[in-house]
Amino acid sequence: MTVIPAASRQVCMSMAFPFIISGLFLAFACQADWLVMPDFYGHYPQSVYPDGWSSRQVSYQDGRLIYQTDPEGNRIPDFSYAGYHYGQQPLPEVPSVITIGPGIGDQTSRIQQALDALAVRPLDQEGHRGAVLLLPGVYEVWGTIYVRHHGIVLRGSGNGIDPSQDTIIYARGDDPHQRTVIVLGSESSQPWVGGHQVDVTDQFVQVGSMSLSVADIRPFRIGQEVIVSHPSTQAWIDAVGGGGVVNAQPWSPGDVDIFWVRRIVGIDGMKIHLDAPIYNHLDRRLSQSTVAIVAAKDTVSEAGVEDIRIEIETAGGEDEDHAWNAVAVVGAEDCWVKGVSARSFGYAGVRVSKAIRITVQGCQATGPVAIRTGSRMYNFAADESAQLVLFTRCHAAGARHSFISNGKSTTSGIVWHRCSMEGGDFEGHRLWSQALLLDNCQELSGSGQAKLMNRGDMGTSHGWGAAHSVIWQFNGQIVCQKPPTAQNYAVSSDGSVRETPYYPGPWGSIEIRPGRLVPESIYEAQLCERLPSIPVQIIARCNSKALTATDPNNQGGLVLTMPEGAGLNCNWYVVGLGNGAVCIRSATGLGFLVVAGASLDEGAPIVLGNYSSIRPDHDQWDLMPSGGTWYTIRSRHSRMVLTVQKQGTLERLVQARPTGDMCQEFALSTVKVN
């Protein structure tokens, strides 16, 4: 059996929080893929407070999320794989290489030439070439700017309205008609091309599964990208009630095909293990699903657009002769849009299509200008073949649909996290998008809705717009219905349910009740539960050496060794405790990082020891960001920090008062499998 631990793991329930027992490890290559814990890490798992409650569909038991499965096999899926590098890495800080300022007239070619000039630079070890920095000012753009090469960032100086401090792209004209101002990605019409298809042999694969069996294992290898396909046969369409339409034309075979782009992370006999869940049941009675190797692809990776304001020239009112999208991410993987403000677009401020593992962070899309009708004013849009996309801390205003999946059945794994909207709504728009999550998003105007429902005859036989999707903690009106063969969920301590649905179909699983909902965020809880299963090396900044256990099973010493020669004893799990702190456990043994003897003395050694829920808390640590990917690791017990102390040629780990020195800074490097 050859399986990466994250794909095949056992959980120890003997303590009040989970620990991962190591599985079968392969040979590790210790290149730096930095893991930065989100700011909410350590605050999960959460306890139910006296005034609190948990959903009957998912709740904590012994520190683990436990999911309920209904008789059809439906359950809330894991959304935590959305975003840049599955949400496991921070958006990178790519150095600026070329700097340009505003000029007179059309600046499209000038900006494009600067971006293309970076393409000749070699990629660094993180896959980046550099950024083009636009100094503050106004840049007229009459065409489209393409960020079309790996590892390149288009960066402004700020997204506000002051040209003395901010970068403002003023998109003028309408040539070509309804163009996009900035395209991030290859813009390929077919980013992934599958090869020979191999049948899935399981009779039923449950939504959320990360493994499946195939008829022939010989074509597959660990590390390969694959396409898992679910054809929309007549039998499946009949099972979903023709799509939910009433008087319109029912769905047709082949028009609602589902696929997911995934990577093989493990092989066990005839079973392949995937890097992320599939988001629909594979029922062999209704459709023969297949797996095919990605034979060719055309995507851009490690590229981004940052800190820019895009103002589109319009005549106002219902004018539609102007630039249509501010930013479109098309033909991309592991890319990002950060800190972009967009105004006066007709379709979207940020549109994601034919792209995977994308993060859209801290963006604003407001004031769309168009006729207020279909296919317009979708401020943040996940379109065709958008998969594993995270929209976080974004704001929409003036929309018809503020946050929308408009990509039909090929769109899945889309998270809107801690966003806000003024009017408009959130919805799965048409034809069976899967695994949409609206999590802790706020409606600020009092009129917006969140809808996971049957759209029936609306549009082009839209029917069931979403399946296996969740509204979690929303303060507006909710419409949540159950599609045939699937389920949708609404869980909130605020908001209300519309009195009647718009089109036929039973209500979904709806729980609205006052009190403190636990977990507060399902996306955050799922991510914080998954991250401890990722083994990391703890790298000291002062010498680039890895923290290594001399004997991971016993109380004993720690040494610093070069990562490439440290073996498995330099691998650790960092586990959140729910109180803001973490514990740090050997990935190959039973020992935990502790202050020896629970000492409060400066210079006390850091050793391996046992974890105990009985205080003192000398086995608990605070991860304190100190810039970039670096952390200061502070003892909850002594308030002193982990420090590399040099004594001649010897190095040891002790606790010391914080000084800001590099000997007190550490990074978490994910363990990569060859």
mmCIF file of all heavy atoms in Angstrom, residues 554-571:
data_model
loop_
_atom_site.group_PDB
_atom_site.id
_atom_site.type_symbol
_atom_site.label_atom_id
_atom_site.label_comp_id
_atom_site.label_asym_id
_atom_site.label_seq_id
_atom_site.Cartn_x
_atom_site.Cartn_y
_atom_site.Cartn_z
ATOM 1 N N ASN A 554 10.120 9.174 23.563
ATOM 2 C CA ASN A 554 10.465 9.328 24.967
ATOM 3 C C ASN A 554 10.736 10.777 25.297
ATOM 4 O O ASN A 554 10.992 11.604 24.430
ATOM 5 C CB ASN A 554 11.712 8.489 25.298
ATOM 6 C CG ASN A 554 11.469 7.013 25.096
ATOM 7 O OD1 ASN A 554 10.441 6.492 25.490
ATOM 8 N ND2 ASN A 554 12.415 6.328 24.465
ATOM 9 N N GLN A 555 10.701 11.067 26.605
ATOM 10 C CA GLN A 555 11.164 12.368 27.030
ATOM 11 C C GLN A 555 12.647 12.454 26.728
ATOM 12 O O GLN A 555 13.403 11.544 27.026
ATOM 13 C CB GLN A 555 10.917 12.563 28.525
ATOM 14 C CG GLN A 555 9.436 12.611 28.878
ATOM 15 C CD GLN A 555 9.211 13.019 30.313
ATOM 16 O OE1 GLN A 555 10.111 13.547 30.954
ATOM 17 N NE2 GLN A 555 8.005 12.787 30.808
ATOM 18 N N GLY A 556 13.024 13.501 26.076
ATOM 19 C CA GLY A 556 14.423 13.585 25.709
ATOM 20 C C GLY A 556 14.721 14.831 24.940
ATOM 21 O O GLY A 556 13.911 15.749 24.838
ATOM 22 N N GLY A 557 15.901 14.849 24.349
ATOM 23 C CA GLY A 557 16.422 16.062 23.775
ATOM 24 C C GLY A 557 15.959 16.324 22.360
ATOM 25 O O GLY A 557 15.378 15.477 21.685
ATOM 26 N N LEU A 558 16.235 17.543 21.934
ATOM 27 C CA LEU A 558 15.974 18.006 20.585
ATOM 28 C C LEU A 558 17.271 18.541 20.020
ATOM 29 O O LEU A 558 18.082 19.131 20.739
ATOM 30 C CB LEU A 558 14.915 19.106 20.590
ATOM 31 C CG LEU A 558 13.543 18.723 21.153
ATOM 32 C CD1 LEU A 558 12.715 19.969 21.415
ATOM 33 C CD2 LEU A 558 12.825 17.809 20.192
ATOM 34 N N VAL A 559 17.470 18.327 18.737
ATOM 35 C CA VAL A 559 18.652 18.847 18.071
ATOM 36 C C VAL A 559 18.208 19.571 16.811
ATOM 37 O O VAL A 559 17.057 19.475 16.390
ATOM 38 C CB VAL A 559 19.649 17.719 17.727
ATOM 39 C CG1 VAL A 559 20.199 17.079 18.989
ATOM 40 C CG2 VAL A 559 18.983 16.664 16.825
ATOM 41 N N LEU A 560 19.114 20.295 16.210
ATOM 42 C CA LEU A 560 18.876 20.968 14.945
ATOM 43 C C LEU A 560 19.751 20.313 13.891
ATOM 44 O O LEU A 560 20.968 20.184 14.062
ATOM 45 C CB LEU A 560 19.198 22.454 15.067
ATOM 46 C CG LEU A 560 18.206 23.244 15.942
ATOM 47 C CD1 LEU A 560 18.834 24.528 16.427
ATOM 48 C CD2 LEU A 560 16.933 23.523 15.176
ATOM 49 N N THR A 561 19.120 19.858 12.805
ATOM 50 C CA THR A 561 19.846 19.183 11.735
ATOM 51 C C THR A 561 19.418 19.759 10.396
ATOM 52 O O THR A 561 18.336 20.338 10.269
ATOM 53 C CB THR A 561 19.569 17.668 11.756
ATOM 54 O OG1 THR A 561 18.158 17.454 11.653
ATOM 55 C CG2 THR A 561 20.079 17.026 13.032
ATOM 56 N N MET A 562 20.244 19.576 9.391
ATOM 57 C CA MET A 562 19.862 20.019 8.057
ATOM 58 C C MET A 562 18.676 19.187 7.576
ATOM 59 O O MET A 562 18.657 17.962 7.755
ATOM 60 C CB MET A 562 21.031 19.897 7.089
ATOM 61 C CG MET A 562 22.209 20.801 7.439
ATOM 62 S SD MET A 562 21.739 22.547 7.667
ATOM 63 C CE MET A 562 21.179 22.965 6.007
ATOM 64 N N PRO A 563 17.666 19.813 6.991
ATOM 65 C CA PRO A 563 16.431 19.088 6.653
ATOM 66 C C PRO A 563 16.641 17.865 5.780
ATOM 67 O O PRO A 563 16.002 16.835 5.986
ATOM 68 C CB PRO A 563 15.593 20.156 5.932
ATOM 69 C CG PRO A 563 16.111 21.451 6.431
ATOM 70 C CD PRO A 563 17.578 21.247 6.670
ATOM 71 N N GLU A 564 17.562 17.963 4.821
ATOM 72 C CA GLU A 564 17.709 16.853 3.890
ATOM 73 C C GLU A 564 18.316 15.620 4.537
ATOM 74 O O GLU A 564 18.229 14.519 3.995
ATOM 75 C CB GLU A 564 18.560 17.278 2.685
ATOM 76 C CG GLU A 564 19.944 17.786 3.044
ATOM 77 C CD GLU A 564 19.987 19.276 3.285
ATOM 78 O OE1 GLU A 564 18.907 19.877 3.486
ATOM 79 O OE2 GLU A 564 21.097 19.839 3.249
ATOM 80 N N GLY A 565 18.929 15.776 5.729
ATOM 81 C CA GLY A 565 19.532 14.621 6.373
ATOM 82 C C GLY A 565 18.876 14.251 7.681
ATOM 83 O O GLY A 565 19.368 13.389 8.410
ATOM 84 N N ALA A 566 17.743 14.878 7.993
ATOM 85 C CA ALA A 566 17.155 14.696 9.315
ATOM 86 C C ALA A 566 16.308 13.439 9.428
ATOM 87 O O ALA A 566 16.035 12.977 10.526
ATOM 88 C CB ALA A 566 16.320 15.923 9.661
ATOM 89 N N GLY A 567 15.855 12.891 8.307
ATOM 90 C CA GLY A 567 14.981 11.736 8.374
ATOM 91 C C GLY A 567 13.600 12.101 8.880
ATOM 92 O O GLY A 567 13.209 13.263 8.955
ATOM 93 N N LEU A 568 12.857 11.060 9.297
ATOM 94 C CA LEU A 568 11.469 11.281 9.703
ATOM 95 C C LEU A 568 11.348 11.960 11.056
ATOM 96 O O LEU A 568 10.285 12.493 11.383
ATOM 97 C CB LEU A 568 10.730 9.939 9.731
ATOM 98 C CG LEU A 568 10.662 9.176 8.401
ATOM 99 C CD1 LEU A 568 9.869 7.894 8.574
ATOM 100 C CD2 LEU A 568 10.049 10.042 7.315
ATOM 101 N N ASN A 569 12.394 11.953 11.858
ATOM 102 C CA ASN A 569 12.300 12.534 13.197
ATOM 103 C C ASN A 569 12.230 14.057 13.191
ATOM 104 O O ASN A 569 12.104 14.676 14.252
ATOM 105 C CB ASN A 569 13.484 12.079 14.061
ATOM 106 C CG ASN A 569 13.337 10.632 14.490
ATOM 107 O OD1 ASN A 569 12.310 10.008 14.259
ATOM 108 N ND2 ASN A 569 14.373 10.090 15.114
ATOM 109 N N CYS A 570 12.334 14.676 12.008
ATOM 110 C CA CYS A 570 12.177 16.132 11.940
ATOM 111 C C CYS A 570 10.775 16.533 11.518
ATOM 112 O O CYS A 570 10.514 17.693 11.220
ATOM 113 C CB CYS A 570 13.207 16.746 10.987
ATOM 114 S SG CYS A 570 12.907 16.376 9.254
ATOM 115 N N ASN A 571 9.840 15.576 11.504
ATOM 116 C CA ASN A 571 8.470 15.856 11.093
ATOM 117 C C ASN A 571 7.571 16.005 12.316
ATOM 118 O O ASN A 571 7.647 15.218 13.266
ATOM 119 C CB ASN A 571 7.942 14.736 10.193
ATOM 120 C CG ASN A 571 8.752 14.607 8.923
ATOM 121 O OD1 ASN A 571 9.307 15.593 8.446
ATOM 122 N ND2 ASN A 571 8.838 13.405 8.380
#
